[in-house]
Amino acid sequence: MKEELTENGFEELLTAGAVEQALSKTGTALVVINSVCGCSAGTARPGVLLAVHHSGKKPDQLITSFAGFDVDAVKKIREHLLPYPPSSPAIALFKDGQLVHFIERHNIEGRSAQMIAQNLMGAFEQYCN
């Protein structure tokens, strides 16, 4: 489940410090809070990968942490997602350290991978270079 993203260019962040360092960089960062649930496997990860592989504009950084395993990293990511409540899976786009687009679990469940990809590709067009 982790490898589906890391084998496709996502950097796995395991600590709060690594999250802070990544999100402090200039540019865009796509952050995926990965999960063992069916909606993560069925639509979130495939949708993210479709968007990354098929979008004309792409985020500067591709980042992932796994809910329930990378506890400190996910906790730090969620601090950057406030005021949104904890959600996993979740997909966030940051620009210059600021949250600019967010897809919560309730926006993943019941949607196809293609719908998630279209949503993300629109955000990439708007915020990425």
Side-chain angles (χ1 to χ4, degrees):
M1 287 178 270
K2 288 183 175 194
E3 291 173 353
E4 188 172 359
L5 294 177
T6 58
E7 289 179 351
N8 283 281
F10 279 76
E11 178 184 1
E12 183 178 23
L13 300 183
L14 304 174
T15 66
V19 170
E20 283 300 320
Q21 183 177 359
L23 294 183
S24 70
K25 293 179 181 177
T26 301
T28 52
L30 180 64
V31 179
V32 177
I33 297 179
N34 204 345
S35 173
V36 297
C37 71
C39 64
S40 188
T43 60
R45 291 191 303 265
V48 165
L49 293 175
L50 280 170
V52 168
H53 292 306
H54 297 296
S55 182
K57 294 183 178 181
K58 300 182 188 325
D60 299 309
Q61 298 181 82
L62 303 174
I63 298 166
T64 185
S65 292
F66 209 103
F69 295 95
D70 308 326
V71 176
D72 292 337
V74 171
K75 181 179 177 184
K76 183 54 73 175
I77 292 167
R78 287 178 173 158
E79 288 176 14
H80 288 274
L81 297 175
L82 290 172
Y84 293 98
S87 177
S88 57
I91 307 162
L93 183 65
F94 290 86
K95 183 167 184 162
D96 299 330
Q98 299 298 311
L99 180 65
V100 294
H101 190 77
F102 187 51
I103 304 174
E104 298 175 83
R105 179 186 179 112
H106 72 266
N107 292 318
I108 294 170
E109 294 174 313
R111 275 130 182 125
S112 68
Q114 292 78 13
M115 291 173 73
I116 292 166
Q118 288 297 330
N119 180 310
L120 288 171
M121 288 167 62
F124 296 170
E125 280 297 315
Q126 184 173 356
Y127 296 106
C128 298
N129 294 322

